[in-house]
Amino acid sequence: MADPYQNNVYHQGGSDPYGTYGEGGGQDGYGYQGESYPQEDDAASDATEGHDDEDQMYEGEYQGIPHPDEVKAAQRAARAKARQTHAGTTELEELAEQYEDIMEDCGHGRFQWSLFVVLGLALMADGVECFVVGFVLPSAEKDMCLSNGEKGMLGLIVFLGMMVGAFTWGGMADKLGRRKCLIWALTLNCVFAFLSSFAQGYGFFLFFRLFSGIGIGGSVPIVYSYFSEFLQMDKRGEHLSWLCMFWMVGGIYASFTAWGIIPRYGWGFSMGTEFQFHSWRVFVLVCALPAITSLVGLMFMPESPRFLLENAKHDEAWMILKNVHDTNWRAKGQPERVFQVTHIKAPKTQEDEFIEIQSATGTAVQRWVVRTLTLCKLVLKNMASLLGAELRLSTLFMAIIWFTMAFSYYGLGVWFPDMIKYLQQEEYESKVKVFHRERVEDFRFNFSLENQVHKEGEYINDKFINIEMKSVKFEDSLFEDCYFEDIKSTETIFENCTIRSTVFYNTDLYEEKFIDCKLENTTFLHNKRGCHLDSEEENDVLIYLVSFLGSLAVLPGNIISALFMEKIGRVKMIGLSMLISAGCTFFLFLSFSEAAIIALQCLFCGVSVAAWNGIEVITVELYPASKRATAFGVLNGLCKLAAILGSSIFASFVGVTKVVPILLSCAALVCGGLVALKLPETREKILL
């Protein structure tokens, strides 16, 4: 038998707006051998010559169950009939239908699962990035002497970077390629995450985390666009939902590693007093491992063939599709299966011609400037097209859904742990010991002071040596001829006190901790520079437990949504999940303990993940390939903006009232759920 590929020739006619790979093809533009309908999955090849098809019995035939190949053939026939009766079929629809047939022939197997793991690790890196700063803040604030304002900015800077990254990388992925942009984005994330672990000052740490966020911000819009273009229609919803599970794995990974590393203060080193590398910096390095692993895996993955076809790179697309086909069927024990496609139609874009013309003129710098400016114009033009007549309504609905879901999810995500800390603080303050008008003279304090208030006391010729002070307040007190040495303090202040002839040697009691005090003949010698880390007993591991349980609670919702995504449909999945999540928030009125808040957080996360899965799947399916990553990037950027607003607003009500956060989240979820029900169902829609 002749080699089926030896006559494949690349043609590009002048009047044909398509680049056509191979020769032949039927009237419907499908490039299988000959002019007959393409052979199905049980087609004969060199390796199967001499076998009678009638001798091979399908095991379900006795029960009257149709063979899967017969089902595929019927689906293709129905699509072909619909195409013939629909005279207004566009070029984009023809390409989409052809590409769907090709992906059905390639099957779902080893290649998709390999790509699933590689892209899942990139998504896991995004999940880890959302937790890193929150976990390191309790230690970093002591290590870098952060004020409350600086801590708040550090918590928001990551989301700001991810917002910029989503806008930028999503738009670029539609013009430069999914794989290429994802590699660049992960590289940026890894480099700046590494640098941030060594940054000693707040300014540098903030700058490095910003660019680390910009890098990882491109992972979500690119990953879903990239993976969806290797999936056939009946597998798309389920497997994109399974992919969402890696975000949950990222949260679990971050919680476990934080729990295991950050409290181990011995896991570090120092070089003098200027350079400190504590355990929380080790944690920052470990959190970069998923991105690094994904980056290595991407080196062995191909570009999306759908992107290549959109950009008239037919040869590369054909070779990749053939490799996908051969990899899958070889792994299934059928290496004799032949890739039947001999030509693929795809439009040639004018944008690429413009870049090619400019690449042959001017100096290297001029060419780079022209290409960069052209790329920016094309990306902005693509973003503007999302508001065109065909996509305007879908974009508006999706923007509302993304924003309301993110506002509630991330807002409550901050409110839950902050509320737990508030309850803990209330309990702690209720146990405070108050000492009134005590007089202590010629006494040596060699024991720690914790959770105490001393009012109108007198301390004459006393020594405070090598002790810790935690949550200690001295009010209207007198210190005379006292000596403080080797003091380590946390939340300790002196208010309206008189301090005479007193020496502070090697302490962290700075003048800022003396509020409205009279300092007479008082000396500060060799004050400790910088801040210090609290001891292990003071480290609050509850934040790790809460995050771990919240991430783990997502697992049941993830499994259920993946299994029922194709049965229920995207629209119902989103609408019902958001409305049920809104109902869950009302139970927060009954939360008066830490255990109740943790339980409600798990319930909310478990239900809301189904909505997230549906939102991400339908976002991929609503937009054509040329705008898919751009749309996903814009919507995901809007999501991060909602996260910034939600976390800021909800945090401001902790300890003030529960009513406002609960009503805000409930109203947002109900609004988003009702809007979701207006979306078109895309379950049986071919990916344009």
Side-chain angles (χ1 to χ4, degrees):
M1 183 178 291
D3 185 352
Y5 308 124
Q6 67 181 6
N7 292 325
N8 288 351
V9 181
Y10 175 70
H11 295 288
Q12 196 164 6
S15 59
D16 189 359
Y18 290 88
T20 305
Y21 188 85
E23 61 182 12
Q27 294 177 353
D28 57 1
Y30 282 68
Y32 294 87
Q33 278 189 300
E35 298 196 6
S36 61
Y37 196 79
Q39 296 181 7
E40 297 303 326
D41 291 340
D42 57 348
S45 67
D46 295 343
T48 58
E49 282 186 340
H51 291 268
D52 189 352
D53 291 341
E54 295 179 358
D55 294 337
Q56 300 184 16
M57 185 69 71
Y58 168 53
E59 62 181 358
E61 186 174 338
Y62 294 107
Q63 292 104 19
I65 301 174
H67 194 283
D69 291 346
E70 295 177 2
V71 175
K72 290 182 181 179
Q75 291 174 344
R76 289 186 183 177
R79 289 200 295 265
K81 183 177 180 181
R83 187 167 58 251
Q84 291 173 358
T85 56
H86 192 277
T89 302
T90 65
E91 298 170 353
L92 181 62
E93 291 172 340
E94 289 182 5
L95 171 61
E97 290 167 355
Q98 183 182 11
Y99 192 80
E100 177 64 28
D101 288 347
I102 294 172
M103 292 312 303
E104 287 181 357
D105 279 344
C106 291
H108 190 92
R110 175 178 291 177
F111 178 87
Q112 279 84 358
W113 286 114
S114 300
L115 185 63
F116 174 81
V117 173
V118 172
L119 297 182
L121 287 168
L123 199 59
M124 178 179 169
D126 180 87
V128 170
E129 188 76 15
C130 293
F131 290 94
V132 170
V133 171
F135 287 156
V136 304
L137 263 182
S139 299
E141 68 173 306
K142 298 294 189 299
D143 209 6
M144 294 188 286
C145 304
L146 302 181
S147 65
N148 289 332
E150 289 173 332
K151 286 190 295 182
M153 177 57 68
L154 192 55
L156 296 179
I157 200 69
V158 174
F159 285 112
L160 179 62
M162 295 172 79
M163 180 180 72
V164 174
F167 279 112
T168 304
W169 295 113
M172 290 174 62
D174 277 334
K175 296 303 175 185
L176 300 178
R178 282 82 161 104
R179 175 180 175 271
K180 181 187 294 185
C181 287
L182 187 56
I183 288 175
W184 288 352
L186 291 177
T187 301
L188 186 70
N189 171 252
C190 292
V191 169
F192 282 96
F194 176 81
L195 292 175
S196 70
S197 68
F198 291 93
Q200 297 297 300
Y202 169 74
F204 279 112
F205 187 75
L206 190 73
F207 176 80
F208 291 147
R209 293 316 301 182
L210 171 64
F211 276 86
S212 174
I214 291 175
I216 203 62
S219 63
V220 172
I222 298 177
V223 161
Y224 285 101
S225 302
Y226 191 7
F227 191 52
S228 68
E229 292 168 356
F230 283 98
L231 297 173
Q232 58 201 64
M233 182 174 61
D234 59 344
K235 301 284 186 181
R236 198 166 56 231
E238 178 184 351
H239 288 274
L240 286 175
S241 298
W242 289 126
L243 188 66
C244 298
M245 195 175 294
F246 276 93
W247 202 92
M248 171 206 72
V249 175
I252 294 175
Y253 173 82
S255 304
F256 259 122
T257 52
W259 202 338
I261 294 175
I262 293 179
R264 308 294 190 264
Y265 297 116
W267 291 16
F269 61 91
S270 61
M271 298 173 63
T273 59
E274 299 298 327
F275 185 86
Q276 304 288 332
F277 195 89
H278 294 294
S279 57
W280 68 268
R281 298 180 183 274
V282 178
F283 167 70
V284 173
L285 283 178
V286 171
C287 285
L289 290 179
I292 294 172
T293 309
S294 178
L295 191 58
V296 173
L298 280 170
M299 299 301 174
F300 303 94
M301 293 293 128
E303 181 56 84
S304 164
R306 183 58 190 272
F307 166 79
L308 295 173
L309 290 172
E310 289 287 334
N311 290 271
K313 298 180 181 178
H314 312 86
D315 292 354
E316 294 178 51
W318 187 89
M319 290 301 296
I320 291 170
L321 289 169
K322 181 181 183 301
N323 180 59
V324 173
H325 176 279
D326 294 346
T327 299
N328 286 342
W329 290 111
R330 194 181 303 116
K332 294 177 182 179
Q334 301 183 50
E336 71 279 359
R337 297 287 285 264
V338 177
F339 187 55
Q340 301 291 328
V341 179
T342 57
H343 84 268
I344 305 174
K345 282 189 171 184
K348 180 170 175 56
T349 61
Q350 295 179 350
E351 291 90 343
D352 294 309
E353 291 176 344
F354 178 76
I355 294 176
E356 289 168 5
I357 292 171
Q358 296 298 335
S359 65
T361 62
T363 64
V365 175
Q366 289 174 330
R367 290 198 300 271
W368 180 84
V369 171
V370 169
R371 287 176 177 170
T372 303
L373 292 176
T374 302
L375 177 62
C376 292
K377 291 178 182 178
L378 295 177
V379 169
L380 293 174
K381 181 180 177 182
N382 217 22
M383 288 183 179
S385 68
L386 300 178
L387 298 176
E390 295 181 358
L391 299 173
R392 185 184 301 122
L393 197 59
S394 296
T395 301
L396 177 62
F397 285 170
M398 290 306 302
I400 294 172
I401 295 167
W402 273 92
F403 187 90
T404 54
M405 187 67 203
F407 180 81
S408 301
Y409 183 85
Y410 288 102
L412 289 176
V414 169
W415 187 84
F416 282 126
D418 282 359
M419 195 63 189
I420 292 173
K421 289 181 181 178
Y422 174 75
L423 293 176
Q424 286 181 320
Q425 186 65 24
E426 274 194 331
E427 183 181 1
Y428 183 77
E429 291 176 353
S430 68
K431 299 177 181 178
V432 65
K433 296 178 181 178
V434 180
F435 299 87
H436 192 69
R437 291 185 177 178
E438 62 178 351
R439 179 180 175 86
V440 183
E441 189 171 354
D442 298 320
F443 184 79
R444 178 188 174 105
F445 289 84
N446 56 5
F447 50 87
S448 295
L449 306 178
E450 181 177 356
N451 199 19
Q452 299 177 4
V453 175
H454 299 262
K455 297 182 177 181
E456 301 181 10
E458 294 183 4
Y459 305 90
I460 311 299
N461 198 28
D462 294 326
K463 298 186 187 316
F464 300 79
I465 298 177
N466 194 25
I467 66 173
E468 293 184 10
M469 295 181 177
K470 180 180 179 182
S471 299
V472 179
K473 183 178 183 181
F474 294 95
E475 293 183 19
D476 303 312
S477 299
L478 170 66
F479 292 84
E480 188 168 355
D481 295 320
C482 293
Y483 182 76
F484 291 79
E485 181 179 351
D486 291 329
I487 305 297
K488 182 189 290 186
S489 66
T490 303
E491 298 178 356
T492 296
I493 61 172
F494 298 76
E495 186 174 342
N496 200 28
C497 296
T498 301
I499 303 174
R500 298 179 187 148
S501 304
T502 298
V503 175
F504 293 88
Y505 181 85
N506 193 31
T507 73
D508 60 3
L509 298 173
Y510 309 112
E511 294 187 18
E512 292 80 7
K513 296 191 176 183
F514 297 87
I515 303 172
D516 297 328
C517 293
K518 295 179 181 180
L519 303 179
E520 301 175 0
N521 197 25
T522 299
T523 306
F524 293 87
L525 298 174
H526 303 288
N527 275 0
K528 293 181 179 179
R529 303 179 67 181
C531 300
H532 67 275
L533 287 172
D534 292 339
S535 62
E536 183 173 350
E537 290 75 23
E538 294 171 345
N539 188 58
D540 186 9
V541 297
L542 184 63
I543 186 176
Y544 311 141
L545 178 62
V546 171
S547 299
F548 169 74
L549 292 176
S551 299
L552 191 62
V554 169
L555 181 60
N558 233 321
I559 294 174
I560 293 173
S561 64
L563 294 177
F564 289 94
M565 186 67 72
E566 296 296 342
K567 296 179 175 64
I568 298 177
R570 290 78 161 121
V571 172
K572 290 181 180 179
M573 181 71 73
I574 299 169
L576 292 176
S577 297
M578 292 186 74
L579 293 175
I580 294 173
S581 298
C584 292
T585 60
F586 269 100
F587 287 103
L588 292 173
F589 283 115
L590 306 177
S591 59
F592 300 102
S593 66
E594 297 174 28
I597 291 177
I598 293 174
L600 289 171
Q601 179 193 18
C602 293
L603 178 63
F604 177 78
C605 291
V607 174
S608 61
V609 69
W612 277 121
N613 290 359
I615 289 170
E616 284 152 352
V617 171
I618 203 169
T619 302
V620 164
E621 296 173 335
L622 278 175
Y623 295 92
S626 61
K627 299 176 177 60
R628 184 169 297 126
T630 300
F632 213 122
V634 169
L635 294 170
N636 193 249
L638 189 64
C639 163
K640 297 303 185 288
L641 175 62
I644 293 172
L645 295 175
S647 57
S648 301
I649 293 172
F650 281 49
S652 65
F653 287 100
V654 173
V656 179
T657 178
K658 291 192 295 184
V659 175
V660 175
I662 293 173
L663 292 181
L664 280 176
S665 59
C666 183
L669 289 168
V670 170
C671 176
L674 294 177
V675 171
L677 297 177
K678 298 292 184 180
L679 288 172
E681 181 56 66
T682 57
R683 178 172 37 176
E684 298 180 355
K685 179 183 178 182
I686 293 176
L687 211 59
L688 294 177

